[in-house]
């Protein structure tokens, strides 16, 4: 459970108020503020809605359906890029060598 505690501590250390912070391990972002979570949930709801619309039509997805999904994904990535911490590969928390 120490990893979870470290992760929450890492997300709370956000003096610049980023909506999305770098993931603690690997490459990418994770929501760090409530507005980041709201944007993420809206993205999920919109993608599910588009998929449901395709399924309820009872036909194969069209080029327009694919284009709509790609546009939503692109907008989500743009929001994360503009409001998120600059990306870099991370291998956990940076340890201070001050003693």
């Amino acid at each position: 459970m120490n990893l979870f505690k470290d992760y929450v501590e890492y997300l709370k250390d956000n003096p610049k108020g980023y909506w999305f912070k770098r993931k603690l391990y690997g490459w990418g972002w994770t929501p760090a503020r409530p507005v980041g979570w709201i944007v993420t949930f809206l993205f999920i709801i919109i993608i599910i809605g588009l998929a449901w619309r395709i399924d309820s039509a009872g036909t194969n997805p069209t080029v327009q359906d694919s284009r709509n999904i790609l546009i939503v994904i692109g907008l989500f990535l743009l929001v994360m890029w503009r409001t998120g911490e600059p990306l870099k590969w991370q291998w956990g928390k940076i340890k201070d060598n001050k003693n």
Side-chain angles (χ1 to χ4, degrees), residues 16-75:
K16 293 188 178 182
Y18 290 118
W19 291 6
F20 298 90
K21 284 197 69 174
R22 283 189 298 260
K23 289 171 51 176
L24 196 53
Y25 293 92
W27 193 79
W29 292 285
T30 187
R33 299 186 46 96
V35 69
W37 283 104
I38 290 168
V39 169
T40 301
F41 287 132
L42 282 174
F43 167 74
I44 291 168
I45 289 168
I46 291 169
I47 290 293
I48 290 172
L50 288 172
W52 181 72
R53 190 174 144 261
I54 292 168
D55 186 49
S56 67
T59 61
N60 291 332
T62 64
V63 172
Q64 183 62 39
D65 294 328
S66 300
R67 189 176 301 138
N68 289 341
I69 290 173
L70 289 175
I71 288 170
V72 171
I73 291 170
L75 288 173

Side-chain angles (χ1 to χ4, degrees), residues 4 6 9 22 39 45 49-50 55 77 80-81 83 85:
F4 181 74
D6 289 345
E9 181 181 310
R22 283 189 298 260
V39 169
I45 289 168
L50 288 172
D55 186 49
L77 288 172
M80 288 190 297
W81 185 270
T83 62
E85 193 171 19

